[in-house]
Amino acid sequence: METIPVFVCAVFAGLMVTAAVIDGRTMRIPDTLVLAVLILTIAVMIFAEVTEASGVGSENMGMWSPVCVTGGQRLAGIIFGAGPMLVFALVKEGSFGGGDIKLSGAAGGFLGMEHLMWGMATAMIAAGIFGIFMIARKRAARDGHLPLGPFLGAGFTAAMFM
């Protein structure tokens, strides 16, 4: 039973790496990738229901498990993953791309609220430091854009293990 969370986490990490690579190259995160994260989340939720109904408790799941995240935590993760970014994007055009917003919401559904907040904080701090470095090196303008997907992918993957 302990291999299920490890496998699920590996699949999620693989999806985050894919998002990072694609966004780093194209400045776009495909909807199919976001859909894959949502499908993984739904599969984990179904697995959680089946294991709970069969009497297998979360104590048998080993490391932190996405199986153990409650529905309320998942819903809060979706809302707080996508919501603030959407508000910023509506207030200041170009602040966040639609793919970044959708990926954050989908990852919030997978990770749950607590892990999502760690992942978002890690991603935003890393992106900010990278942006400052690029401006200081005169490789980017202050009003330029950088792909956020690599930072989100790294932050969300790291958050699984926090």
Side-chain angles (χ1 to χ4, degrees):
M1 223 23 135
E2 290 182 13
T3 58
I4 298 294
V6 173
F7 173 75
V8 168
C9 290
V11 171
F12 180 76
L15 291 170
M16 293 298 107
V17 168
T18 303
V21 170
I22 292 172
D23 194 32
R25 290 182 181 166
T26 66
M27 294 283 290
R28 300 186 73 76
I29 298 173
D31 288 343
T32 52
L33 197 58
V34 174
L35 183 61
V37 175
L38 290 173
I39 290 170
L40 180 65
T41 301
I42 291 167
V44 167
M45 291 172 67
I46 291 169
F47 178 77
E49 288 298 318
V50 169
T51 55
E52 187 175 313
S54 67
V56 177
S58 60
E59 65 276 357
N60 296 326
M61 290 295 150
M63 59 183 250
W64 170 81
S65 172
V67 174
C68 301
V69 176
T70 67
Q73 291 171 333
R74 290 185 198 283
L75 180 60
I78 292 168
I79 292 169
F80 286 101
M85 291 176 80
L86 179 60
V87 170
F88 277 111
L90 293 173
V91 170
K92 178 157 182 1
E93 187 176 334
S95 56
F96 292 106
D100 299 326
I101 296 167
K102 291 180 276 189
L103 182 66
S104 295
F110 179 81
L111 295 170
M113 181 67 176
E114 181 180 348
H115 291 277
L116 171 81
M117 290 294 111
W118 280 107
M120 290 291 283
T122 303
M124 295 304 165
I125 290 169
I129 291 169
F130 181 77
I132 290 168
F133 175 77
M134 293 300 284
I135 291 168
R137 303 270 305 169
K138 306 250 189 257
R139 294 192 176 185
R142 284 188 60 175
D143 59 350
H145 297 283
L146 73 130
L148 193 57
F151 302 101
L152 291 173
F156 295 150
T157 301
M160 278 193 306
F161 303 106
M162 290 184 177

